[in-house]
Protein backbone atom coordinates (compact mmCIF):
# COMPACT_ATOMS: atom_id res chain seq x y z
CA UNK A 1 0.00 0.00 0.00
CA UNK A 2 1.11 3.52 -0.72
CA UNK A 3 1.53 6.08 2.03
CA UNK A 4 2.83 9.56 2.70
CA UNK A 5 4.49 10.97 5.79
CA UNK A 6 4.36 14.66 6.56
CA UNK A 7 7.34 15.34 8.73
CA UNK A 8 6.03 18.43 10.55
CA UNK A 9 2.64 18.83 12.18
CA UNK A 10 3.14 22.61 12.48
CA UNK A 11 5.37 25.08 10.63
CA UNK A 12 5.64 28.74 11.65
CA UNK A 13 7.06 31.43 9.36
CA UNK A 14 7.04 35.19 9.15
CA UNK A 15 5.34 36.95 6.30
CA UNK A 16 7.77 37.39 3.40
CA UNK A 17 10.04 34.48 4.37
CA UNK A 18 10.30 31.14 2.52
CA UNK A 19 7.99 28.21 3.21
CA UNK A 20 9.07 24.56 3.27
CA UNK A 21 6.58 21.79 4.02
CA UNK A 22 8.12 18.32 3.97
CA UNK A 23 6.61 15.11 2.65
CA UNK A 24 8.06 11.65 2.11
CA UNK A 25 6.22 8.95 0.24
CA UNK A 26 6.26 5.19 0.11
CA UNK A 27 5.32 3.54 -3.15
CA UNK A 28 6.06 0.32 -4.96
CA UNK A 29 5.94 2.04 -8.34
CA UNK A 30 6.04 5.53 -9.79
CA UNK A 31 3.42 7.40 -7.82
CA UNK A 32 1.11 10.29 -8.56
CA UNK A 33 1.49 12.88 -5.83
CA UNK A 34 -0.54 15.93 -4.90
CA UNK A 35 -0.59 18.80 -2.46
CA UNK A 36 -3.97 20.05 -1.27
CA UNK A 37 -4.68 23.04 0.98
CA UNK A 38 -7.56 23.40 3.40
CA UNK A 39 -8.47 26.77 4.84
CA UNK A 40 -10.50 26.84 8.07
CA UNK A 41 -14.03 25.54 7.61
CA UNK A 42 -13.45 25.09 3.90
CA UNK A 43 -13.06 22.14 1.54
CA UNK A 44 -9.82 20.98 -0.04
CA UNK A 45 -8.22 22.91 -2.88
CA UNK A 46 -5.68 21.36 -5.23
CA UNK A 47 -2.36 23.22 -5.17
CA UNK A 48 -0.40 21.06 -7.59
CA UNK A 49 0.12 17.51 -8.83
CA UNK A 50 2.98 15.34 -10.07
CA UNK A 51 2.26 12.65 -12.64
CA UNK A 52 5.73 11.55 -13.90
CA UNK A 53 6.27 14.47 -16.27
CA UNK A 54 8.57 17.27 -15.06
CA UNK A 55 9.99 16.65 -11.59
CA UNK A 56 9.58 20.32 -10.63
CA UNK A 57 5.89 21.07 -10.48
CA UNK A 58 4.49 24.58 -10.31
CA UNK A 59 1.14 25.15 -8.67
CA UNK A 60 -1.19 27.96 -7.80
CA UNK A 61 -0.41 30.94 -5.58
CA UNK A 62 3.36 30.68 -6.11
CA UNK A 63 3.77 27.19 -4.64
CA UNK A 64 5.93 24.53 -6.21
CA UNK A 65 7.11 21.04 -5.34
CA UNK A 66 10.00 18.88 -6.47
CA UNK A 67 9.72 15.12 -6.92
CA UNK A 68 12.96 13.42 -5.83
CA UNK A 69 12.83 9.68 -6.42
CA UNK A 70 16.21 9.02 -4.78
CA UNK A 71 14.98 10.62 -1.57
CA UNK A 72 11.31 9.54 -1.93
CA UNK A 73 10.37 13.12 -1.18
CA UNK A 74 7.88 15.64 -2.52
CA UNK A 75 8.45 18.81 -0.51
CA UNK A 76 6.29 21.90 -1.01
CA UNK A 77 7.95 25.32 -1.18
CA UNK A 78 7.10 28.96 -1.68
CA UNK A 79 9.67 31.76 -1.87
CA UNK A 80 7.72 34.30 0.17
CA UNK A 81 4.87 33.57 2.57
CA UNK A 82 1.71 35.64 2.64
CA UNK A 83 -0.73 35.93 5.51
CA UNK A 84 -3.38 34.27 3.34
CA UNK A 85 -1.21 31.12 3.11
CA UNK A 86 -2.05 30.20 6.70
CA UNK A 87 -3.94 26.91 6.40
CA UNK A 88 -3.64 23.12 6.66
CA UNK A 89 -1.64 21.45 3.91
CA UNK A 90 -1.98 17.80 2.92
CA UNK A 91 0.46 15.71 0.94
CA UNK A 92 -1.45 13.04 -0.96
CA UNK A 93 -0.57 9.94 -2.98
CA UNK A 94 -2.91 8.28 -5.44
CA UNK A 95 -3.32 4.55 -5.04
CA UNK A 96 -4.64 2.19 -7.68
CA UNK A 97 -4.09 1.66 -11.37
CA UNK A 98 -7.73 1.54 -12.37
CA UNK A 99 -10.06 3.27 -10.01
CA UNK A 100 -7.85 5.47 -7.90
CA UNK A 101 -8.25 6.53 -4.31
CA UNK A 102 -6.35 9.27 -2.54
CA UNK A 103 -4.28 8.50 0.54
CA UNK A 104 -3.71 11.58 2.68
CA UNK A 105 -0.94 12.47 5.05
CA UNK A 106 -1.75 13.73 8.51
CA UNK A 107 -1.39 17.36 7.48
CA UNK A 108 0.89 20.30 8.28
CA UNK A 109 -0.56 23.44 9.76
CA UNK A 110 1.19 26.52 8.39
CA UNK A 111 1.17 29.56 10.66
CA UNK A 112 2.19 32.92 9.19
CA UNK A 113 3.00 35.82 11.51
CA UNK A 114 3.20 39.48 10.49
CA UNK B 1 -18.95 26.56 -14.05
CA UNK B 2 -20.28 25.18 -10.77
CA UNK B 3 -17.85 23.22 -8.70
CA UNK B 4 -18.67 20.30 -6.46
CA UNK B 5 -21.63 21.04 -4.23
CA UNK B 6 -22.74 19.23 -1.07
CA UNK B 7 -25.80 19.39 1.11
CA UNK B 8 -26.52 20.00 3.87
CA UNK B 9 -23.61 22.03 5.19
CA UNK B 10 -24.20 21.02 8.78
CA UNK B 11 -26.20 18.27 10.43
CA UNK B 12 -26.86 17.18 14.00
CA UNK B 13 -28.09 13.65 14.72
CA UNK B 14 -28.35 11.37 17.73
CA UNK B 15 -26.83 7.95 18.19
CA UNK B 16 -28.65 5.18 16.35
CA UNK B 17 -30.20 7.47 13.76
CA UNK B 18 -29.59 7.35 10.04
CA UNK B 19 -28.28 10.16 7.84
CA UNK B 20 -28.11 10.89 4.11
CA UNK B 21 -25.60 13.30 2.62
CA UNK B 22 -25.75 14.54 -0.96
CA UNK B 23 -23.20 15.53 -3.56
CA UNK B 24 -23.39 17.03 -7.04
CA UNK B 25 -20.19 16.64 -9.05
CA UNK B 26 -18.41 19.30 -11.01
CA UNK B 27 -19.82 19.77 -14.49
CA UNK B 28 -18.39 17.17 -16.87
CA UNK B 29 -17.32 14.77 -14.13
CA UNK B 30 -18.64 11.23 -13.91
CA UNK B 31 -16.92 9.76 -10.84
CA UNK B 32 -17.67 10.56 -7.22
CA UNK B 33 -15.57 9.65 -4.18
CA UNK B 34 -16.43 10.13 -0.52
CA UNK B 35 -14.02 10.82 2.33
CA UNK B 36 -14.38 11.16 6.09
CA UNK B 37 -12.25 13.73 7.89
CA UNK B 38 -12.24 13.46 11.66
CA UNK B 39 -11.19 16.50 13.65
CA UNK B 40 -7.45 17.12 13.37
CA UNK B 41 -6.86 14.32 10.89
CA UNK B 42 -6.46 13.86 7.17
CA UNK B 43 -9.37 12.62 5.08
CA UNK B 44 -9.95 8.86 4.89
CA UNK B 45 -11.34 7.26 1.75
CA UNK B 46 -14.79 5.71 2.15
CA UNK B 47 -15.78 4.61 -1.36
CA UNK B 48 -15.94 5.63 -5.00
CA UNK B 49 -18.80 5.44 -7.52
CA UNK B 50 -18.64 5.25 -11.29
CA UNK B 51 -21.44 4.31 -13.68
CA UNK B 52 -23.75 3.93 -10.69
CA UNK B 53 -21.65 1.18 -9.12
CA UNK B 54 -19.31 1.13 -6.15
CA UNK B 55 -15.85 0.60 -7.63
CA UNK B 56 -13.59 0.85 -4.61
CA UNK B 57 -14.12 0.82 -0.90
CA UNK B 58 -11.98 1.85 2.01
CA UNK B 59 -11.90 0.33 5.47
CA UNK B 60 -15.40 1.37 6.57
CA UNK B 61 -18.17 -0.86 7.90
CA UNK B 62 -21.31 -1.77 5.99
CA UNK B 63 -23.20 0.91 7.91
CA UNK B 64 -21.73 3.23 5.29
CA UNK B 65 -23.41 2.86 1.93
CA UNK B 66 -23.87 4.97 -1.13
CA UNK B 67 -25.56 5.49 -4.39
CA UNK B 68 -24.88 7.22 -7.66
CA UNK B 69 -27.66 8.47 -9.90
CA UNK B 70 -27.79 8.64 -13.71
CA UNK B 71 -26.96 12.36 -13.56
CA UNK B 72 -23.73 11.40 -11.68
CA UNK B 73 -24.84 12.93 -8.37
CA UNK B 74 -24.32 10.77 -5.32
CA UNK B 75 -25.56 10.07 -1.81
CA UNK B 76 -23.77 8.78 1.24
CA UNK B 77 -25.89 6.96 3.81
CA UNK B 78 -24.80 6.10 7.31
CA UNK B 79 -26.97 3.85 9.47
CA UNK B 80 -26.95 3.30 13.21
CA UNK B 81 -24.89 6.40 13.87
CA UNK B 82 -22.14 6.25 16.47
CA UNK B 83 -20.49 9.14 18.29
CA UNK B 84 -17.33 8.35 16.32
CA UNK B 85 -19.09 9.11 13.06
CA UNK B 86 -18.90 12.81 13.91
CA UNK B 87 -16.70 14.28 11.19
CA UNK B 88 -16.51 16.39 8.06
CA UNK B 89 -17.68 14.35 5.09
CA UNK B 90 -16.11 15.37 1.83
CA UNK B 91 -17.23 14.56 -1.67
CA UNK B 92 -14.79 14.66 -4.57
CA UNK B 93 -15.51 14.36 -8.26
CA UNK B 94 -13.33 13.51 -11.23
CA UNK B 95 -13.49 12.55 -14.88
CA UNK B 96 -12.53 8.95 -15.49
CA UNK B 97 -10.16 8.95 -18.43
CA UNK B 98 -8.26 5.72 -18.87
CA UNK B 99 -4.50 5.98 -19.07
CA UNK B 100 -4.30 9.27 -17.24
CA UNK B 101 -4.16 10.32 -13.64
CA UNK B 102 -7.49 11.63 -12.52
CA UNK B 103 -7.59 14.80 -10.49
CA UNK B 104 -10.19 14.87 -7.76
CA UNK B 105 -11.94 18.15 -6.95
CA UNK B 106 -13.49 18.51 -3.53
CA UNK B 107 -16.68 20.06 -2.30
CA UNK B 108 -16.93 22.16 0.88
CA UNK B 109 -18.08 19.19 2.93
CA UNK B 110 -20.92 18.35 5.29
CA UNK B 111 -20.13 18.59 8.98
CA UNK B 112 -21.96 15.87 10.91
CA UNK B 113 -22.27 15.95 14.68
CA UNK B 114 -23.61 12.87 16.44
CA UNK B 115 -24.84 13.40 20.00
Amino acid sequence: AQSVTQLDSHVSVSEGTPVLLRCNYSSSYSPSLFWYVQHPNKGLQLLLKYTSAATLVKGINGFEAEFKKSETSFHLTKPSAHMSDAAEYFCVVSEGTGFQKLVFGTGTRLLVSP
Amino acid sequence: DAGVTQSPTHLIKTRGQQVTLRCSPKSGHDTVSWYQQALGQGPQFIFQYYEEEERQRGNFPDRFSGHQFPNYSSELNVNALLLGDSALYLCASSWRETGTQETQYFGPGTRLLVL
Side-chain angles (χ1 to χ4, degrees):
Chain A
Q2 313 225 59
S3 65
V4 290
T5 302
Q6 293 186 245
L7 301 171
D8 306 292
S9 60
H10 293 80
V11 170
S12 295
V13 300
S14 299
E15 191 174 23
T17 64
V19 175
L20 170 64
L21 305 183
R22 299 182 295 165
C23 172
N24 287 349
Y25 69 90
S26 173
S27 173
S28 56
Y29 51 90
S30 184
S32 293
L33 293 160
F34 307 80
W35 278 96
Y36 281 85
V37 61
Q38 187 174 38
H39 291 274
N41 300 314
K42 296 287 182 64
L44 291 155
Q45 182 183 19
L46 178 68
L47 277 178
L48 50 82
K49 68 175 182 179
Y50 166 77
T51 56
S52 75
T55 56
L56 183 62
V57 183
K58 295 189 182 299
I60 62 171
N61 300 334
F63 284 95
E64 63 181 35
E66 186 172 8
F67 175 76
K68 292 187 176 180
K69 187 175 182 178
S70 61
E71 300 176 10
T72 62
S73 69
F74 189 59
H75 301 334
L76 182 70
T77 60
K78 182 174 181 177
S80 176
H82 191 273
M83 295 295 291
S84 61
D85 294 329
E88 188 87 17
Y89 291 79
F90 292 97
C91 183
V92 183
V93 64
S94 176
E95 183 174 283
T97 54
F99 292 94
Q100 296 151 349
K101 70 177 186 181
L102 300 182
V103 178
F104 284 75
T106 51
T108 298
R109 180 163 297 277
L110 177 64
L111 306 170
V112 183
S113 56
Chain B
D1 176 25
V4 180
T5 60
Q6 293 185 243
S7 63
T9 57
H10 295 81
L11 206 50
I12 300 175
K13 293 286 187 179
T14 57
R15 282 177 296 176
Q17 285 190 312
Q18 179 264 343
V19 68
T20 298
L21 311 181
R22 295 176 176 83
C23 172
S24 291
K26 184 177 169 66
S27 178
H29 286 183
D30 59 1
T31 303
V32 173
S33 303
W34 287 92
Y35 294 81
Q36 180 196 65
Q37 185 178 19
L39 199 61
Q41 298 182 22
Q44 300 287 317
F45 174 76
I46 303 175
F47 43 52
Q48 183 180 72
Y49 277 84
Y50 172 73
E51 291 188 338
E52 302 179 48
E53 290 190 17
E54 183 182 293
R55 300 293 179 167
Q56 266 209 101
R57 188 178 184 91
N59 188 26
F60 279 81
D62 292 344
R63 297 187 297 109
F64 289 76
S65 63
H67 189 77
Q68 185 180 34
F69 299 94
N71 67 353
Y72 307 121
S73 67
S74 176
E75 288 182 349
L76 163 66
N77 301 292
V78 187
N79 294 322
L81 284 167
L82 304 174
L83 296 180
D85 295 331
S86 296
L88 180 68
Y89 288 85
L90 295 163
C91 170
S93 73
S94 56
W95 167 250
R96 175 165 171 74
E97 187 176 2
T98 56
T100 67
Q101 174 58 47
E102 302 164 18
T103 297
Q104 296 188 16
Y105 294 87
F106 285 81
T110 294
R111 189 164 296 281
L112 172 64
L113 177 61
V114 182
L115 302 177

PDB file of all heavy atoms in Angstrom, chain A residues 1 24 39 64 67 89 99-100 113:
ATOM      1  N   ALA A   1       0.846  -1.191   0.000  1.00  0.00           N
ATOM      2  CA  ALA A   1       0.000   0.000   0.000  1.00  0.00           C
ATOM      3  C   ALA A   1       0.882   1.242   0.000  1.00  0.00           C
ATOM      4  O   ALA A   1       1.979   1.258   0.538  1.00  0.00           O
ATOM      5  CB  ALA A   1      -0.903   0.005   1.232  1.00  0.00           C
ATOM      6  N   ASN A  24       7.428  12.839   2.667  1.00  0.00           N
ATOM      7  CA  ASN A  24       8.057  11.648   2.111  1.00  0.00           C
ATOM      8  C   ASN A  24       6.969  10.651   1.732  1.00  0.00           C
ATOM      9  O   ASN A  24       5.945  10.566   2.402  1.00  0.00           O
ATOM     10  CB  ASN A  24       9.020  11.007   3.116  1.00  0.00           C
ATOM     11  CG  ASN A  24      10.286  11.813   3.276  1.00  0.00           C
ATOM     12  OD1 ASN A  24      10.559  12.739   2.505  1.00  0.00           O
ATOM     13  ND2 ASN A  24      11.076  11.474   4.274  1.00  0.00           N
ATOM     14  N   HIS A  39      -8.305  25.615   3.971  1.00  0.00           N
ATOM     15  CA  HIS A  39      -8.466  26.768   4.839  1.00  0.00           C
ATOM     16  C   HIS A  39      -9.548  26.470   5.864  1.00  0.00           C
ATOM     17  O   HIS A  39     -10.410  25.606   5.626  1.00  0.00           O
ATOM     18  CB  HIS A  39      -8.798  28.009   4.010  1.00  0.00           C
ATOM     19  CG  HIS A  39      -7.654  28.475   3.168  1.00  0.00           C
ATOM     20  ND1 HIS A  39      -6.673  29.318   3.652  1.00  0.00           N
ATOM     21  CD2 HIS A  39      -7.306  28.204   1.894  1.00  0.00           C
ATOM     22  CE1 HIS A  39      -5.782  29.543   2.707  1.00  0.00           C
ATOM     23  NE2 HIS A  39      -6.142  28.879   1.624  1.00  0.00           N
ATOM     24  N   GLU A  64       5.382  25.547  -5.347  1.00  0.00           N
ATOM     25  CA  GLU A  64       5.929  24.531  -6.214  1.00  0.00           C
ATOM     26  C   GLU A  64       6.456  23.371  -5.381  1.00  0.00           C
ATOM     27  O   GLU A  64       6.671  23.504  -4.172  1.00  0.00           O
ATOM     28  CB  GLU A  64       7.029  25.089  -7.128  1.00  0.00           C
ATOM     29  CG  GLU A  64       8.253  25.608  -6.436  1.00  0.00           C
ATOM     30  CD  GLU A  64       9.259  26.149  -7.446  1.00  0.00           C
ATOM     31  OE1 GLU A  64       8.848  26.732  -8.475  1.00  0.00           O
ATOM     32  OE2 GLU A  64      10.460  25.997  -7.194  1.00  0.00           O
ATOM     33  N   PHE A  67       9.732  16.564  -7.102  1.00  0.00           N
ATOM     34  CA  PHE A  67       9.718  15.123  -6.917  1.00  0.00           C
ATOM     35  C   PHE A  67      11.157  14.607  -6.972  1.00  0.00           C
ATOM     36  O   PHE A  67      11.847  14.799  -7.980  1.00  0.00           O
ATOM     37  CB  PHE A  67       8.879  14.454  -8.012  1.00  0.00           C
ATOM     38  CG  PHE A  67       8.902  12.949  -7.976  1.00  0.00           C
ATOM     39  CD1 PHE A  67       8.175  12.258  -7.022  1.00  0.00           C
ATOM     40  CD2 PHE A  67       9.655  12.230  -8.894  1.00  0.00           C
ATOM     41  CE1 PHE A  67       8.186  10.871  -6.990  1.00  0.00           C
ATOM     42  CE2 PHE A  67       9.675  10.844  -8.874  1.00  0.00           C
ATOM     43  CZ  PHE A  67       8.932  10.167  -7.919  1.00  0.00           C
ATOM     44  N   TYR A  89      -2.114  21.967   5.189  1.00  0.00           N
ATOM     45  CA  TYR A  89      -1.640  21.445   3.910  1.00  0.00           C
ATOM     46  C   TYR A  89      -1.505  19.932   3.986  1.00  0.00           C
ATOM     47  O   TYR A  89      -0.945  19.392   4.952  1.00  0.00           O
ATOM     48  CB  TYR A  89      -0.294  22.079   3.546  1.00  0.00           C
ATOM     49  CG  TYR A  89      -0.419  23.547   3.206  1.00  0.00           C
ATOM     50  CD1 TYR A  89      -0.537  24.503   4.207  1.00  0.00           C
ATOM     51  CD2 TYR A  89      -0.446  23.976   1.883  1.00  0.00           C
ATOM     52  CE1 TYR A  89      -0.689  25.847   3.902  1.00  0.00           C
ATOM     53  CE2 TYR A  89      -0.586  25.318   1.566  1.00  0.00           C
ATOM     54  CZ  TYR A  89      -0.701  26.245   2.583  1.00  0.00           C
ATOM     55  OH  TYR A  89      -0.854  27.581   2.271  1.00  0.00           O
ATOM     56  N   PHE A  99      -9.337   2.279 -10.795  1.00  0.00           N
ATOM     57  CA  PHE A  99     -10.058   3.271 -10.014  1.00  0.00           C
ATOM     58  C   PHE A  99      -9.167   3.701  -8.857  1.00  0.00           C
ATOM     59  O   PHE A  99      -8.756   2.891  -8.048  1.00  0.00           O
ATOM     60  CB  PHE A  99     -11.373   2.700  -9.508  1.00  0.00           C
ATOM     61  CG  PHE A  99     -12.345   2.449 -10.629  1.00  0.00           C
ATOM     62  CD1 PHE A  99     -12.421   1.204 -11.223  1.00  0.00           C
ATOM     63  CD2 PHE A  99     -13.153   3.468 -11.099  1.00  0.00           C
ATOM     64  CE1 PHE A  99     -13.313   0.975 -12.268  1.00  0.00           C
ATOM     65  CE2 PHE A  99     -14.040   3.250 -12.131  1.00  0.00           C
ATOM     66  CZ  PHE A  99     -14.120   2.005 -12.725  1.00  0.00           C
ATOM     67  N   GLN A 100      -8.874   4.976  -8.820  1.00  0.00           N
ATOM     68  CA  GLN A 100      -7.853   5.467  -7.904  1.00  0.00           C
ATOM     69  C   GLN A 100      -8.473   6.103  -6.677  1.00  0.00           C
ATOM     70  O   GLN A 100      -9.451   6.831  -6.765  1.00  0.00           O
ATOM     71  CB  GLN A 100      -6.981   6.474  -8.631  1.00  0.00           C
ATOM     72  CG  GLN A 100      -6.211   5.844  -9.777  1.00  0.00           C
ATOM     73  CD  GLN A 100      -5.923   6.809 -10.895  1.00  0.00           C
ATOM     74  OE1 GLN A 100      -6.451   7.903 -10.929  1.00  0.00           O
ATOM     75  NE2 GLN A 100      -5.081   6.404 -11.826  1.00  0.00           N
ATOM     76  N   SER A 113       3.085  34.655  10.609  1.00  0.00           N
ATOM     77  CA  SER A 113       3.003  35.816  11.506  1.00  0.00           C
ATOM     78  C   SER A 113       3.434  37.075  10.762  1.00  0.00           C
ATOM     79  O   SER A 113       4.251  37.010   9.846  1.00  0.00           O
ATOM     80  CB  SER A 113       3.886  35.595  12.731  1.00  0.00           C
ATOM     81  OG  SER A 113       5.214  35.333  12.341  1.00  0.00           O
TER      82      SER A 113
END
